[in-house]
Amino acid sequence: MKKNKKLPKVETGGELVINPKVRPEPNEYLLEISRKIKLCKILVILFTVVFMCGMIFIFRSDITLENYRYLIRFFSSDGDYNGDYRTIYFDSASTSSIGIFNGDLVTVSTNGINLYSMKGNNTLTENLSYSNPMIDTHGKYLAVYDLGGYSFELLNNFSVLYSETFDYPISLAKVSEDGMFALVTKSLEYQSVVNLYDHNFRLLSRIYKDKYVMDLDISHDESEILVVSAYSENGIYCSEVMIGQPYVSESESTAVLTNEFALSCNYFADGSYCVMTDKALHFYNDDNQETGNYQFGNIVPTKFEATENNVIISYNKNIVGSEMGIFIFDEKGEIKSEYTVPDRVLDIACYKDDFFILCAKNINRLNVKSDEIQSYPITGGSTRIFVCDDDTVIVGYTNMIEAHSVSKMFNEKAGG
């Protein structure tokens, strides 16, 4: 093949010569900034390592598998109520009790316990063999115990954390918001024994009483335990109000209510407390001095609910008819509000300053600050009411639960 002599020649320039000995002078200002950035990087790394080691050491008891599961659940959840919660159905024939625990529905039967998310997913199933299962959903853990039986279990939303079987029947269980819990049994010598545990399930103390413990509560800071018990003396019913300390078995203060039968007790947020008997409501300050009482007289309370700052009771206003009265007391025993509802009160739930009164055909919302009452109609046949969060009310029926948005219910009512 012949070369084409007519092709133009490519002209090349001269060679580029770099003198390696000639270098630009460094900029001292930029070098100073670089040194400061490098120092900051080293300090941030050291601070992060020290911070992580310190947090691991301080909160090492909280680094558990269950908390990791809670973290995963938090990031995978759909958030608060958005109006599309499903109606959850359950077997009414076998279910003996329902409740709301950390935003999940709890159903308990003689054969087991089930937890459902508000989307209707079954998140936990645990087999039981209890004759009369009872639950306490107001604390850090879910307590399930066999009333009159010998066993109990503590659970969170994912698994069983602790269980124990006693030699004598269990009559009561209570769990605090931080995980301290108490179980009431008996012994060969004493009619009641209060077994008190810390949040790590270690036995702190036992309180022995020759009286029948009716109720107990643990203070918000877990520095005290309130125990009310009933007994008979010379043919007269009496009640004992005892304040104890969790780490000792002796009482700090004891009061006796003669000719009264104790039924319930509750701590308020400021350390004061109240005791309900068949005759009256008694209120005490944090120094265990009675600050007030309300004598029932002819009133027979049908429902009683206590919160961090208030007590609410309902009662029949007339022998004939379904009209009911409602009293709301503050922590000193003074009546803050008084209401009348035209229907029988089935259940009461509380959230901050709002009280939700479940009646046969409606939900009444009472606000102690504004002294306002609102009503919203619902389907008949309901039995329980729970507050899930600040905008979600759960209404329970014999075989299902329904979620309602508080803002939608009462804004529509107010606007209509």
Side-chain angles (χ1 to χ4, degrees):
M1 184 176 182
K2 297 181 179 181
K3 294 182 179 180
N4 191 348
K5 296 181 180 181
K6 295 182 179 181
L7 293 174
K9 293 182 180 180
V10 178
E11 295 183 1
T12 59
E15 294 182 358
L16 179 63
V17 179
I18 298 176
N19 188 355
K21 295 183 180 180
V22 180
R23 296 180 179 178
E25 291 293 330
N27 190 312
E28 290 297 330
Y29 174 73
L30 296 178
L31 286 176
E32 182 65 21
I33 293 177
S34 174
R35 285 191 288 266
K36 290 181 179 179
I37 293 175
K38 185 181 294 185
L39 178 61
C40 290
K41 181 180 71 173
I42 295 173
L43 291 177
V44 168
I45 293 173
L46 289 176
F47 175 79
T48 303
V49 172
V50 173
F51 177 79
M52 292 182 63
C53 292
M55 292 300 100
I56 291 172
F57 177 78
I58 296 172
F59 299 103
R60 59 188 182 276
S61 61
D62 294 324
I63 303 175
T64 62
L65 178 61
E66 286 73 22
N67 286 340
Y68 279 116
R69 288 174 176 172
Y70 273 120
L71 183 65
I72 294 172
R73 180 183 179 184
F74 174 79
F75 285 111
S76 62
S77 66
D78 295 329
D80 294 334
Y81 177 77
N82 55 12
D84 63 349
Y85 284 171
R86 296 178 182 175
T87 299
I88 303 175
Y89 294 89
F90 50 86
D91 184 6
S92 60
S94 62
T95 301
S96 60
S97 182
I98 65 172
I100 299 295
F101 175 68
N102 289 341
D104 287 348
L105 168 68
V106 182
T107 65
V108 182
S109 67
T110 56
N111 299 321
I113 179 170
N114 288 276
L115 267 69
Y116 300 88
S117 70
M118 287 295 109
K119 295 295 184 180
N121 300 318
N122 186 211
T123 58
L124 174 66
T125 297
E126 183 69 24
N127 294 325
L128 299 174
S129 182
Y130 289 175
S131 301
N132 190 12
M134 305 294 291
I135 58 174
D136 177 32
T137 60
H138 297 94
K140 180 179 180 180
Y141 306 123
L142 168 64
V144 185
Y145 61 100
D146 193 6
L147 181 62
Y150 303 90
S151 301
F152 88 101
E153 293 183 344
L154 281 184
L155 305 90
N156 60 13
N157 293 73
F158 298 101
S159 61
V160 176
L161 303 177
Y162 182 76
S163 62
E164 189 172 349
T165 301
F166 292 91
D167 295 329
Y168 295 91
I170 300 171
S171 58
L172 183 65
K174 285 291 182 73
V175 185
S176 74
E177 294 180 356
D178 290 329
M180 182 180 288
F181 62 98
L183 285 146
V184 180
T185 61
K186 59 184 299 186
S187 69
L188 189 62
E189 297 86 8
Y190 294 91
Q191 193 169 1
S192 298
V193 179
V194 181
N195 303 273
L196 192 60
Y197 299 78
D198 65 10
H199 66 279
N200 292 318
F201 320 125
R202 295 176 298 188
L203 180 65
L204 297 176
S205 61
R206 285 192 174 99
I207 301 173
Y208 297 91
K209 304 193 75 64
D210 56 354
K211 307 169 180 66
Y212 189 81
V213 172
M214 301 297 297
D215 196 13
L216 63 87
D217 197 15
I218 300 170
S219 63
H220 291 259
D221 60 0
E222 297 185 341
S223 63
E224 293 180 345
I225 179 172
L226 170 62
V227 180
V228 294
S229 52
Y231 61 100
S232 177
E233 187 175 85
N234 300 323
I236 300 175
Y237 277 115
C238 297
S239 297
E240 181 190 78
V241 181
M242 191 205 81
I243 300 295
Q245 295 181 346
Y247 297 94
V248 296
S249 298
E250 290 113 13
S251 63
E252 178 183 292
S253 174
T254 302
V256 175
L257 303 174
T258 306
N259 201 24
E260 295 188 45
F261 193 85
L263 300 172
S264 183
C265 63
N266 181 78
Y267 266 110
F268 298 118
D270 60 358
S272 58
Y273 55 93
C274 71
V275 176
M276 179 183 178
T277 70
D278 62 332
K279 301 288 181 62
L281 268 171
H282 297 269
F283 295 84
Y284 301 84
N285 59 20
D286 54 357
D287 291 327
N288 306 313
Q289 303 297 319
E290 187 170 5
T291 58
N293 64 77
Y294 180 81
Q295 300 293 325
F296 293 140
N298 296 326
I299 291 177
V300 179
T302 59
K303 293 292 179 180
F304 166 85
E305 189 73 24
T307 68
E308 293 186 349
N309 302 298
N310 298 286
V311 171
I312 180 171
I313 62 169
S314 63
Y315 63 95
N316 290 309
K317 295 199 74 171
N318 302 305
I319 299 176
V320 179
S322 57
E323 191 176 59
M324 301 199 72
I326 294 172
F327 285 129
I328 298 178
F329 301 86
D330 63 11
E331 63 270 19
K332 296 180 180 179
E334 298 178 358
I335 297 177
K336 297 179 67 174
S337 302
E338 183 177 355
Y339 303 90
T340 298
V341 292
D343 205 351
R344 185 167 61 96
V345 174
L346 302 175
D347 198 14
I348 299 174
C350 310
Y351 186 81
K352 295 182 179 178
D353 295 316
D354 286 328
F355 293 84
F356 297 91
I357 313 299
L358 178 66
C359 297
K361 297 181 180 179
N362 55 66
I363 299 173
N364 295 286
R365 181 191 188 187
L366 315 178
N367 187 280
V368 294
K369 282 191 174 181
S370 63
D371 205 28
E372 181 184 10
I373 180 169
Q374 296 172 287
S375 183
Y376 182 82
I378 59 170
T379 305
S382 58
T383 57
R384 298 292 307 276
I385 187 169
F386 309 96
V387 178
C388 194
D389 53 51
D390 59 352
D391 192 42
T392 312
V393 168
I394 305 296
V395 179
Y397 296 82
T398 55
N399 65 336
M400 68 176 184
I401 65 163
E402 286 184 341
H404 297 270
S405 169
V406 174
S407 58
K408 289 182 179 180
M409 281 193 300
F410 297 108
N411 283 345
E412 290 175 359
K413 185 67 179 177

